[in-house]
Amino acid sequence: NNTIQSSSYNNNDDDKECWVTDHSYGMTKDGACDDAEVIIVYAPNSVIELGKTQGWWGTNYANIYLISVQVGAFSASKCQEACVANADCGGWEFVNNESCILKSK
């Protein structure tokens, strides 16, 4: 699994950043301060469909934007730019050089 990820969010209320090195942003089971929800997935259609059948997007993915893109449409920097441009995005993951996953604050 080739994953590049980052947090763009810092909870200023308690100065605790929701990020743990070497773990996914917003995963309390990995020691993060809170769970973050997946809000948008940019990925090839085959990855989106596999994610649905494997439960990657949860059992109720009706509130997640699943956007089909061609392989190569995203890079880590484009994924980061998509997160910065989205007011609801607190962190992102770029997986296997093809999928950009934005997570909530």
Side-chain angles (χ1 to χ4, degrees):
N1 188 8
N2 181 13
T3 303
I4 299 170
Q5 57 196 342
S6 182
S7 167
S8 62
Y9 178 63
N10 185 9
N11 185 343
N12 292 325
D13 292 338
D14 61 9
D15 289 333
K16 193 162 60 170
E17 193 169 329
C18 241
W19 176 255
V20 178
T21 303
D22 296 328
H23 291 286
S24 294
Y25 164 79
M27 298 288 289
T28 55
K29 70 178 182 141
D30 291 339
C33 64
D34 201 358
D35 281 324
E37 300 291 325
V38 173
I39 54 175
I40 301 175
V41 175
Y42 298 97
N45 194 56
S46 60
V47 174
I48 289 173
E49 292 305 316
L50 183 61
K52 288 178 182 178
T53 60
Q54 297 287 319
W56 298 345
W57 325 129
T59 56
N60 181 11
Y61 45 84
N63 294 327
I64 301 173
Y65 291 100
L66 301 173
I67 301 170
S68 180
V69 297
Q70 293 183 340
V71 174
F74 270 83
S75 62
S77 61
K78 284 185 180 181
C79 191
Q80 180 181 24
E81 289 171 10
C83 183
V84 170
N86 186 313
D88 295 325
C89 185
W92 55 273
E93 292 181 58
F94 183 63
V95 183
N96 294 330
N97 291 316
E98 63 183 5
S99 303
C100 175
I101 302 167
L102 304 187
K103 295 183 177 182
S104 65
K105 291 182 177 178

